[in-house]
Amino acid sequence: MPAHDLLSEAQIAEFRRDGLLVVPGFYDAEADTLPIQRAIHQVIGQVMKRHGVADVRPPFSADRFDEGYQELIARDRAWGGDVYDAVKQIPDFLRLLSDPRHKELFKALRPGSMPGIAAGGFGIRIDNPNEDRFRAEWHQEYPAQLRSLDGLVFWSPLVRMTPELGPVQFCLGSHVEGAVPVFTRSNGDKTGAYALRLKNEPSLLARYTHAAPLTSPGDLVVVDFLTLHASGLNRSDRSRWSLQFRYFNFNDPTGLAHGWKGSFAAGLDFRQIHPELCAD
Ligand SMILES: O=C(O)CCC(=O)C(=O)O
Ligand SMILES: [Fe+2]
């Protein structure tokens, strides 16, 4: 599908201005998200089976695809880790990750680019109620992912967002800052990319209008690798499930210079590539 069928000129201009674009109904529920929700329901069943928990759940429904998950993590939080690691191996998830629409969208937003999928840069987040350890604090994607400076995060919810679920927050237009230096020293119990903290965070955040779009399954949120964003606080009684696909540009000068290296998920500390962005 050509790029001009996916986005209007106004949407492209909005993305350039804000470093953020919400595309309502980008995905097809039946073809794209329902198979993933169905497979998550089955994976939860497999994790129950693995731990000898009787599966007495009602049959699958899209609204309650994660039935049983809260009970699992209440019994043993590590079983939630089993689910988290397993769901990114769902064929329908990987099919959607590599769907040509992402490549076309990337080319529409980054003219002259050659899109690539960031290895280790995709997954399904499960933000559990009142759990802080895996919350993403204010960050830019680039230090956490590397690959290329002009990458894009494609983020899409699997549950309808409410203020209580803690939708992702964005600083509109903050991508104009370029790559912001970060402190890398330990940040409580957070590790890897989660431990990074922005230099001059309060004044940086105060400069921009914040937005926390209340999206629904099927909606797509496109985020510039340099836009400041943070997880909200989930104060509901349900986990916030969302898809993340990250694409980069093989034709970006910074990526060309370092060979499209990946960051923490690739076992590399970004400080080796960008010592100048380390504020410690
Ligand atoms: O979903 C979240 O809470 C954070 C998302 C995020 O930081 C990302 O997708 O890059
Ligand atoms: Fe992020």
Side-chain angles (χ1 to χ4, degrees):
M1 186 183 280
H4 58 259
D5 289 346
L6 290 175
L7 291 180
S8 66
E9 285 304 321
Q11 285 175 306
I12 294 172
E14 181 181 334
F15 181 77
R16 292 235 167 87
R17 184 192 66 207
D18 292 344
L20 179 76
L21 181 66
V22 179
V23 188
F26 182 79
Y27 299 115
D28 182 75
E30 204 65 42
D32 299 329
T33 48
L34 203 61
I36 298 173
Q37 292 168 323
R38 196 183 296 280
I40 292 173
H41 187 264
Q42 288 171 348
V43 163
I44 293 169
Q46 290 306 109
V47 173
M48 290 175 159
K49 187 175 184 176
R50 177 172 133 64
H51 294 294
V53 177
D55 186 353
V56 292
R57 300 174 301 164
F60 167 80
S61 77
D63 286 347
R64 303 293 325 175
F65 70 88
D66 61 341
E67 196 82 61
Y69 180 77
Q70 294 310 319
E71 291 75 15
L72 267 184
I73 59 170
R75 282 191 55 181
D76 189 336
R77 177 61 185 83
W79 297 354
D82 287 356
V83 174
Y84 175 80
D85 290 339
V87 292
K88 59 177 85 167
Q89 301 174 88
I90 289 170
D92 293 292
F93 169 71
L94 291 163
R95 175 170 60 85
L96 192 58
L97 163 69
S98 50
D99 188 291
R101 285 172 290 178
H102 296 126
K103 186 179 73 178
E104 294 308 327
L105 210 82
F106 197 104
K107 289 198 280 189
L109 293 171
R110 303 287 196 223
S113 65
M114 179 191 170
I117 294 174
F122 49 84
I124 301 179
R125 281 186 69 97
I126 313 169
D127 287 89
N128 299 317
N130 303 307
E131 191 178 79
D132 201 48
R133 171 133 191 249
F134 302 107
R135 249 194 81 224
E137 303 203 48
W138 285 101
H139 67 285
Q140 295 177 312
E141 217 54 31
Y142 181 64
Q145 297 293 332
L146 296 180
R147 306 291 177 192
S148 77
L149 194 61
D150 62 353
L152 301 178
V153 185
F154 298 112
W155 186 100
S156 184
L158 287 175
V159 297
R160 194 174 59 80
M161 288 296 136
T162 61
E164 294 71 35
L165 276 165
V168 187
Q169 311 165 69
F170 301 91
C171 283
L172 299 182
S174 55
H175 58 311
V176 301
E177 295 283 339
V180 175
V182 287
F183 295 109
T184 64
R185 282 203 247 276
S186 76
N187 172 16
D189 58 355
K190 300 199 175 196
T191 54
Y194 289 121
L196 303 180
R197 294 311 304 260
L198 296 161
K199 188 181 177 190
N200 300 326
E201 182 179 290
S203 61
L204 207 52
L205 299 183
R207 246 177 259 162
Y208 298 97
T209 303
H210 295 204
L214 294 179
T215 50
S216 291
D219 297 348
L220 171 65
V221 183
V222 187
V223 189
D224 188 299
F225 259 26
L226 296 176
T227 301
L228 297 169
H229 61 291
S231 302
L233 298 163
N234 185 349
R235 296 292 179 252
S236 76
D237 56 5
R238 167 164 204 198
S239 296
R240 170 165 74 75
W241 296 73
S242 59
L243 309 172
Q244 290 80 40
F245 306 128
R246 295 187 181 84
Y247 274 58
F248 71 101
N249 176 11
F250 280 111
N251 207 21
D252 164 68
T254 309
L256 279 163
H258 64 55
W260 317 292
K261 291 259 184 332
S263 194
F264 297 96
L268 189 90
D269 187 327
F270 89 99
R271 289 175 291 192
Q272 290 170 254
I273 307 287
H274 286 293
E276 79 285 6
L277 291 181
C278 179
D280 296 321

